[in-house]
mmCIF file with all atom_site columns, all heavy atoms in Angstrom:
data_model
loop_
_atom_site.group_PDB
_atom_site.id
_atom_site.type_symbol
_atom_site.label_atom_id
_atom_site.label_alt_id
_atom_site.label_comp_id
_atom_site.label_asym_id
_atom_site.label_entity_id
_atom_site.label_seq_id
_atom_site.pdbx_PDB_ins_code
_atom_site.Cartn_x
_atom_site.Cartn_y
_atom_site.Cartn_z
_atom_site.occupancy
_atom_site.B_iso_or_equiv
_atom_site.pdbx_formal_charge
_atom_site.auth_seq_id
_atom_site.auth_comp_id
_atom_site.auth_asym_id
_atom_site.auth_atom_id
_atom_site.pdbx_PDB_model_num
ATOM 1  N N   . ARG T 1 10  ? 58.520 -12.557 171.062 1.00 0.00 ? 10  ARG T N   1
ATOM 2  C CA  . ARG T 1 10  ? 59.968 -12.375 171.046 1.00 0.00 ? 10  ARG T CA  1
ATOM 3  C C   . ARG T 1 10  ? 60.350 -11.916 169.650 1.00 0.00 ? 10  ARG T C   1
ATOM 4  O O   . ARG T 1 10  ? 59.927 -12.520 168.673 1.00 0.00 ? 10  ARG T O   1
ATOM 5  C CB  . ARG T 1 10  ? 60.659 -13.708 171.369 1.00 0.00 ? 10  ARG T CB  1
ATOM 6  C CG  . ARG T 1 10  ? 62.156 -13.695 171.193 1.00 0.00 ? 10  ARG T CG  1
ATOM 7  C CD  . ARG T 1 10  ? 62.750 -15.066 171.500 1.00 0.00 ? 10  ARG T CD  1
ATOM 8  N NE  . ARG T 1 10  ? 62.208 -16.136 170.653 1.00 0.00 ? 10  ARG T NE  1
ATOM 9  C CZ  . ARG T 1 10  ? 62.468 -16.285 169.355 1.00 0.00 ? 10  ARG T CZ  1
ATOM 10 N NH1 . ARG T 1 10  ? 63.252 -15.417 168.736 1.00 0.00 ? 10  ARG T NH1 1
ATOM 11 N NH2 . ARG T 1 10  ? 61.952 -17.284 168.687 1.00 0.00 ? 10  ARG T NH2 1
ATOM 12 N N   . ILE T 1 60  ? 70.898 -2.959  165.539 1.00 0.00 ? 60  ILE T N   1
ATOM 13 C CA  . ILE T 1 60  ? 71.757 -2.697  166.685 1.00 0.00 ? 60  ILE T CA  1
ATOM 14 C C   . ILE T 1 60  ? 72.848 -3.741  166.716 1.00 0.00 ? 60  ILE T C   1
ATOM 15 O O   . ILE T 1 60  ? 74.041 -3.417  166.807 1.00 0.00 ? 60  ILE T O   1
ATOM 16 C CB  . ILE T 1 60  ? 70.927 -2.743  167.980 1.00 0.00 ? 60  ILE T CB  1
ATOM 17 C CG1 . ILE T 1 60  ? 69.879 -1.638  167.922 1.00 0.00 ? 60  ILE T CG1 1
ATOM 18 C CG2 . ILE T 1 60  ? 71.821 -2.576  169.186 1.00 0.00 ? 60  ILE T CG2 1
ATOM 19 C CD1 . ILE T 1 60  ? 68.941 -1.657  169.087 1.00 0.00 ? 60  ILE T CD1 1
ATOM 20 N N   . ALA T 1 65  ? 78.411 -5.385  165.408 1.00 0.00 ? 65  ALA T N   1
ATOM 21 C CA  . ALA T 1 65  ? 79.319 -6.355  164.797 1.00 0.00 ? 65  ALA T CA  1
ATOM 22 C C   . ALA T 1 65  ? 80.135 -5.739  163.667 1.00 0.00 ? 65  ALA T C   1
ATOM 23 O O   . ALA T 1 65  ? 81.320 -6.033  163.515 1.00 0.00 ? 65  ALA T O   1
ATOM 24 C CB  . ALA T 1 65  ? 78.518 -7.545  164.276 1.00 0.00 ? 65  ALA T CB  1
ATOM 25 N N   . SER T 1 78  ? 65.871 24.474  166.405 1.00 0.00 ? 78  SER T N   1
ATOM 26 C CA  . SER T 1 78  ? 64.428 24.509  166.594 1.00 0.00 ? 78  SER T CA  1
ATOM 27 C C   . SER T 1 78  ? 63.686 24.024  165.357 1.00 0.00 ? 78  SER T C   1
ATOM 28 O O   . SER T 1 78  ? 64.193 24.093  164.240 1.00 0.00 ? 78  SER T O   1
ATOM 29 C CB  . SER T 1 78  ? 64.027 25.959  166.893 1.00 0.00 ? 78  SER T CB  1
ATOM 30 O OG  . SER T 1 78  ? 62.688 26.181  166.581 1.00 0.00 ? 78  SER T OG  1
ATOM 31 N N   . PRO T 1 111 ? 73.018 26.260  174.536 1.00 0.00 ? 111 PRO T N   1
ATOM 32 C CA  . PRO T 1 111 ? 74.315 25.581  174.418 1.00 0.00 ? 111 PRO T CA  1
ATOM 33 C C   . PRO T 1 111 ? 74.390 24.338  175.298 1.00 0.00 ? 111 PRO T C   1
ATOM 34 O O   . PRO T 1 111 ? 74.986 23.334  174.896 1.00 0.00 ? 111 PRO T O   1
ATOM 35 C CB  . PRO T 1 111 ? 75.310 26.637  174.899 1.00 0.00 ? 111 PRO T CB  1
ATOM 36 C CG  . PRO T 1 111 ? 74.628 27.938  174.687 1.00 0.00 ? 111 PRO T CG  1
ATOM 37 C CD  . PRO T 1 111 ? 73.163 27.679  174.902 1.00 0.00 ? 111 PRO T CD  1
ATOM 38 N N   . VAL T 1 157 ? 79.503 30.819  157.780 1.00 0.00 ? 157 VAL T N   1
ATOM 39 C CA  . VAL T 1 157 ? 80.939 30.593  157.556 1.00 0.00 ? 157 VAL T CA  1
ATOM 40 C C   . VAL T 1 157 ? 81.823 31.613  158.283 1.00 0.00 ? 157 VAL T C   1
ATOM 41 O O   . VAL T 1 157 ? 83.036 31.561  158.146 1.00 0.00 ? 157 VAL T O   1
ATOM 42 C CB  . VAL T 1 157 ? 81.295 30.622  156.042 1.00 0.00 ? 157 VAL T CB  1
ATOM 43 C CG1 . VAL T 1 157 ? 80.508 29.567  155.275 1.00 0.00 ? 157 VAL T CG1 1
ATOM 44 C CG2 . VAL T 1 157 ? 81.081 32.011  155.455 1.00 0.00 ? 157 VAL T CG2 1
ATOM 45 N N   . ALA T 1 178 ? 73.230 46.552  153.382 1.00 0.00 ? 178 ALA T N   1
ATOM 46 C CA  . ALA T 1 178 ? 73.457 47.965  153.722 1.00 0.00 ? 178 ALA T CA  1
ATOM 47 C C   . ALA T 1 178 ? 73.892 48.732  152.477 1.00 0.00 ? 178 ALA T C   1
ATOM 48 O O   . ALA T 1 178 ? 73.376 49.828  152.183 1.00 0.00 ? 178 ALA T O   1
ATOM 49 C CB  . ALA T 1 178 ? 74.522 48.078  154.810 1.00 0.00 ? 178 ALA T CB  1
ATOM 50 N N   . GLY T 1 228 ? 59.645 35.822  170.796 1.00 0.00 ? 228 GLY T N   1
ATOM 51 C CA  . GLY T 1 228 ? 58.405 35.047  170.915 1.00 0.00 ? 228 GLY T CA  1
ATOM 52 C C   . GLY T 1 228 ? 57.247 35.629  170.126 1.00 0.00 ? 228 GLY T C   1
ATOM 53 O O   . GLY T 1 228 ? 57.333 36.706  169.563 1.00 0.00 ? 228 GLY T O   1
ATOM 54 N N   . ASN T 1 256 ? 64.374 39.140  159.742 1.00 0.00 ? 256 ASN T N   1
ATOM 55 C CA  . ASN T 1 256 ? 63.853 37.996  158.986 1.00 0.00 ? 256 ASN T CA  1
ATOM 56 C C   . ASN T 1 256 ? 62.617 38.379  158.192 1.00 0.00 ? 256 ASN T C   1
ATOM 57 O O   . ASN T 1 256 ? 61.989 39.406  158.452 1.00 0.00 ? 256 ASN T O   1
ATOM 58 C CB  . ASN T 1 256 ? 63.589 36.796  159.898 1.00 0.00 ? 256 ASN T CB  1
ATOM 59 C CG  . ASN T 1 256 ? 62.422 37.024  160.830 1.00 0.00 ? 256 ASN T CG  1
ATOM 60 O OD1 . ASN T 1 256 ? 61.294 37.182  160.383 1.00 0.00 ? 256 ASN T OD1 1
ATOM 61 N ND2 . ASN T 1 256 ? 62.690 37.055  162.123 1.00 0.00 ? 256 ASN T ND2 1
ATOM 62 N N   . GLY T 1 262 ? 55.166 41.239  157.989 1.00 0.00 ? 262 GLY T N   1
ATOM 63 C CA  . GLY T 1 262 ? 54.214 41.896  158.885 1.00 0.00 ? 262 GLY T CA  1
ATOM 64 C C   . GLY T 1 262 ? 54.319 43.417  158.759 1.00 0.00 ? 262 GLY T C   1
ATOM 65 O O   . GLY T 1 262 ? 53.316 44.131  158.644 1.00 0.00 ? 262 GLY T O   1
ATOM 66 N N   . GLU T 1 269 ? 48.799 48.964  154.476 1.00 0.00 ? 269 GLU T N   1
ATOM 67 C CA  . GLU T 1 269 ? 47.508 49.340  155.035 1.00 0.00 ? 269 GLU T CA  1
ATOM 68 C C   . GLU T 1 269 ? 47.443 50.815  155.396 1.00 0.00 ? 269 GLU T C   1
ATOM 69 O O   . GLU T 1 269 ? 46.433 51.474  155.186 1.00 0.00 ? 269 GLU T O   1
ATOM 70 C CB  . GLU T 1 269 ? 47.294 48.557  156.337 1.00 0.00 ? 269 GLU T CB  1
ATOM 71 C CG  . GLU T 1 269 ? 46.424 47.344  156.217 1.00 0.00 ? 269 GLU T CG  1
ATOM 72 C CD  . GLU T 1 269 ? 46.550 46.519  157.478 1.00 0.00 ? 269 GLU T CD  1
ATOM 73 O OE1 . GLU T 1 269 ? 46.009 46.914  158.520 1.00 0.00 ? 269 GLU T OE1 1
ATOM 74 O OE2 . GLU T 1 269 ? 47.249 45.499  157.407 1.00 0.00 ? 269 GLU T OE2 1
ATOM 75 N N   . PHE T 1 283 ? 65.129 39.198  155.408 1.00 0.00 ? 283 PHE T N   1
ATOM 76 C CA  . PHE T 1 283 ? 66.213 38.253  155.158 1.00 0.00 ? 283 PHE T CA  1
ATOM 77 C C   . PHE T 1 283 ? 65.680 36.830  155.169 1.00 0.00 ? 283 PHE T C   1
ATOM 78 O O   . PHE T 1 283 ? 64.900 36.472  156.055 1.00 0.00 ? 283 PHE T O   1
ATOM 79 C CB  . PHE T 1 283 ? 67.304 38.362  156.213 1.00 0.00 ? 283 PHE T CB  1
ATOM 80 C CG  . PHE T 1 283 ? 68.416 37.393  155.966 1.00 0.00 ? 283 PHE T CG  1
ATOM 81 C CD1 . PHE T 1 283 ? 69.419 37.700  155.062 1.00 0.00 ? 283 PHE T CD1 1
ATOM 82 C CD2 . PHE T 1 283 ? 68.427 36.161  156.591 1.00 0.00 ? 283 PHE T CD2 1
ATOM 83 C CE1 . PHE T 1 283 ? 70.426 36.787  154.791 1.00 0.00 ? 283 PHE T CE1 1
ATOM 84 C CE2 . PHE T 1 283 ? 69.427 35.237  156.326 1.00 0.00 ? 283 PHE T CE2 1
ATOM 85 C CZ  . PHE T 1 283 ? 70.426 35.559  155.418 1.00 0.00 ? 283 PHE T CZ  1
ATOM 86 N N   . ASP T 1 290 ? 56.174 35.375  148.031 1.00 0.00 ? 290 ASP T N   1
ATOM 87 C CA  . ASP T 1 290 ? 55.623 35.406  146.678 1.00 0.00 ? 290 ASP T CA  1
ATOM 88 C C   . ASP T 1 290 ? 54.139 35.729  146.659 1.00 0.00 ? 290 ASP T C   1
ATOM 89 O O   . ASP T 1 290 ? 53.613 36.155  145.643 1.00 0.00 ? 290 ASP T O   1
ATOM 90 C CB  . ASP T 1 290 ? 55.824 34.033  145.995 1.00 0.00 ? 290 ASP T CB  1
ATOM 91 C CG  . ASP T 1 290 ? 57.302 33.765  145.777 1.00 0.00 ? 290 ASP T CG  1
ATOM 92 O OD1 . ASP T 1 290 ? 58.081 34.721  145.845 1.00 0.00 ? 290 ASP T OD1 1
ATOM 93 O OD2 . ASP T 1 290 ? 57.656 32.601  145.544 1.00 0.00 ? 290 ASP T OD2 1
ATOM 94 N N   . SER T 1 319 ? 81.415 7.251   152.714 1.00 0.00 ? 319 SER T N   1
ATOM 95 C CA  . SER T 1 319 ? 81.596 6.160   151.765 1.00 0.00 ? 319 SER T CA  1
ATOM 96 C C   . SER T 1 319 ? 83.078 5.883   151.542 1.00 0.00 ? 319 SER T C   1
ATOM 97 O O   . SER T 1 319 ? 83.446 5.111   150.680 1.00 0.00 ? 319 SER T O   1
ATOM 98 C CB  . SER T 1 319 ? 80.929 6.503   150.435 1.00 0.00 ? 319 SER T CB  1
ATOM 99 O OG  . SER T 1 319 ? 81.734 7.400   149.722 1.00 0.00 ? 319 SER T OG  1
#
Side-chain angles (χ1 to χ4, degrees):
Chain T
R10 172 181 59 71
I60 298 175
S78 157
V157 302
N256 69 63
E269 261 168 74
F283 180 83
D290 294 343
S319 77

